[in-house]
Amino acid sequence: VVIRRMAADLASDPLETPEQLHVLGDRLHDHVRYEERVFFPLVEQTLPAHDLERILASFEQRAAAAA
């Protein structure tokens, strides 16, 4: 939620200070590292393979439709 708000603020006022951009970048970096190290491994351990395959297929369909 915080990252989305910060990105929306940047979109509406592109003259943010470098410090504000660094804060957004740091938050985004930390968020991605959390997903890579904690969230996704937990999902992979919890969901059965067939559910993971279904999710992957859904992502691939959405990516193809967006391209």
Side-chain angles (χ1 to χ4, degrees):
V1 174
V2 173
I3 293 171
R4 286 184 188 173
R5 181 183 45 79
M6 292 174 76
D9 290 348
L10 176 60
S12 67
D13 181 11
L15 299 175
E16 297 285 334
T17 66
E19 293 81 19
Q20 291 167 312
L21 293 174
H22 283 289
V23 170
L24 174 58
D26 289 343
R27 284 185 176 266
L28 185 58
H29 175 270
D30 293 346
H31 176 78
V32 170
R33 293 292 93 64
Y34 172 81
E35 286 180 340
E36 291 175 341
R37 294 180 182 144
V38 178
F39 181 74
F40 291 132
L42 179 61
V43 168
E44 289 174 339
Q45 292 171 6
T46 304
L47 292 178
H50 67 275
D51 286 343
L52 292 172
E53 290 168 5
R54 233 177 53 236
I55 292 168
L56 176 60
S58 175
F59 284 151
E60 289 173 341
Q61 287 174 348
R62 288 174 186 242

